[in-house]
Amino acid sequence: MLCVDNFFTGSKANVAHLLKHPHFELMRHDVTFPLYVEVDEIYNLACPASPIHYQFDPVQTTKTSVHGAINMLGLAKRVKAKILQASTSEVYGDPEVHPQPEGYWGRVNTIGPRSCYDEGKRCAETLFFDYWRQHRLRIKVVRIFNTYGPRMHPNDGRVVSNFVMQALKGEDITIYGDGSQTRSFCYVDDLIEAMIRMMATSDGFTGPINIGNPQEFTIRELAEQVIRLTGSQSRLTFKPLPADDPKQRRPDIGLAKETLGWSPTIDLAEGLERTIKYFRGKL
Ligand code: UDP
Ligand code: UDP
């Protein structure tokens, strides 16, 4: 197992417990540069995923998705590896079809602040399918919906870690907009199980396939649930809604159920409990 990271948002501490494992190797490398190694399977998850991080250097974000995909596909082609792409529900943009099935093409702004991430990930999907058509590569494309859990960075900036940290510190909970926008939150262990099952599917199966938890909540409901589970005295405070923030999001996971025999096993309350326990330990 070779773990490759440039540590822009990841941290070595998150894999420290694996370093002593004889089959685990950690390499500092940026996928926008070529990589010559020998592997059988590649999981390409490279790219910051939190809006504050991917908007910090948007040009680099697009490069990471596009040049990163080209390099990883080139590597897969040379060593004949199977390759999985961590795509995203962001390919659906601010969707007018709800819930989102894989056949929906999306509604994405090409020139907004989220475009570096959304269009980078969309172009990566295009590259995967062209390497598949042109070079017969064995590809697997998973579209990941909002995921959370232990080992997120306390300053990740996404909603679950923000709310949990704020609640634990007794700070105001920052709701962007009126909190009526929805998201569907998948616990990290469920996501990983789905990715492993996807990698193990027969060569004819490429995806794209949605992976996420179809239980949908408003952001306000999430805030209230975090306050309840932490027993916090925090109050809600309302901030402006960022540009192009999707109004609603929920995966249609029919395909994942059918082809992977998978559906999430950890509901929001259980996942939040585990996440809260982790962040409590960090404080
Ligand atoms: N590449 C890599 N590792 C490899 C093979 C290729 O990083 O083991 C990169 C290399 O930079 C190349 C890119 O992947 O430009 C695409 O490779 P491909 O063979 O598809 O196209 P090429 O550009 O070599 O014609
Ligand atoms: N959000 C919020 N407060 C925060 C962080 C995020 O209300 O402190 C909102 C954000 O505007 C969005 C939702 O929560 O509507 C999910 O945001 P996140 O950045 O976690 O993921 P994404 O927007 O990429 O789904």
Side-chain angles (χ1 to χ4, degrees), residues 122-265:
R122 287 171 65 98
C123 184
E125 286 200 8
T126 306
L127 285 162
F128 268 68
F129 278 83
D130 283 330
Y131 269 80
W132 171 69
R133 276 186 288 261
Q134 209 174 318
H135 300 299
R136 299 275 112 214
L137 236 64
R138 294 176 295 158
I139 62 158
K140 309 282 176 194
V141 175
V142 297
R143 291 183 179 154
I144 300 170
F145 284 64
N146 296 65
T147 298
Y148 69 99
R151 300 206 181 99
M152 285 183 87
H153 196 283
N155 301 120
D156 175 87
R158 274 172 293 181
V159 69
V160 173
S161 48
N162 272 11
F163 286 5
V164 170
M165 288 301 291
Q166 289 161 345
L168 291 177
K169 292 200 262 178
E171 295 170 355
D172 287 349
I173 306 257
T174 52
I175 293 189
Y176 303 161
D178 63 4
S180 65
Q181 72 272 34
T182 69
R183 293 292 186 275
S184 309
F185 300 100
C186 185
Y187 187 71
V188 59
D189 292 10
D190 281 328
L191 166 68
I192 290 168
E193 175 64 27
M195 290 203 293
I196 291 168
R197 288 191 193 196
M198 180 63 176
M199 189 60 108
T201 54
S202 64
D203 289 349
F205 187 64
T206 58
I209 189 168
N210 288 339
I211 303 298
N213 190 320
Q215 285 184 306
E216 183 182 3
F217 298 89
T218 66
I219 294 306
R220 201 193 168 104
E221 284 169 341
L222 174 72
E224 284 160 357
Q225 190 148 173
V226 168
I227 288 175
R228 188 170 55 77
L229 292 171
T230 51
S232 173
Q233 302 294 312
S234 292
R235 291 159 187 266
L236 306 183
T237 174
F238 294 85
K239 301 249 168 126
L241 189 67
D244 296 338
D245 199 277
K247 187 81 195 94
Q248 53 179 4
R249 180 181 289 155
R250 170 155 61 106
D252 177 332
I253 59 163
L255 184 62
K257 282 185 178 161
E258 188 190 310
T259 56
L260 309 180
W262 174 90
S263 57
T265 59

Side-chain angles (χ1 to χ4, degrees), residues 68-136:
I70 290 171
N71 286 330
M72 291 304 101
L73 287 161
L75 170 63
K77 184 179 138 205
R78 182 179 62 81
V79 301
K80 299 186 169 49
K82 231 195 284 194
I83 180 165
L84 179 144
Q85 169 67 0
S87 189
T88 171
S89 54
E90 286 284 324
V91 301
Y92 301 123
D94 190 4
E96 70 271 82
V97 173
H98 194 75
Q100 293 79 54
E102 291 84 355
Y104 175 52
W105 290 357
R107 186 163 74 112
V108 176
N109 181 359
T110 58
I111 57 172
R114 296 177 87 99
S115 307
C116 59
Y117 186 77
D118 299 8
E119 296 293 6
K121 287 285 191 179
R122 287 171 65 98
C123 184
E125 286 200 8
T126 306
L127 285 162
F128 268 68
F129 278 83
D130 283 330
Y131 269 80
W132 171 69
R133 276 186 288 261
Q134 209 174 318
H135 300 299
R136 299 275 112 214

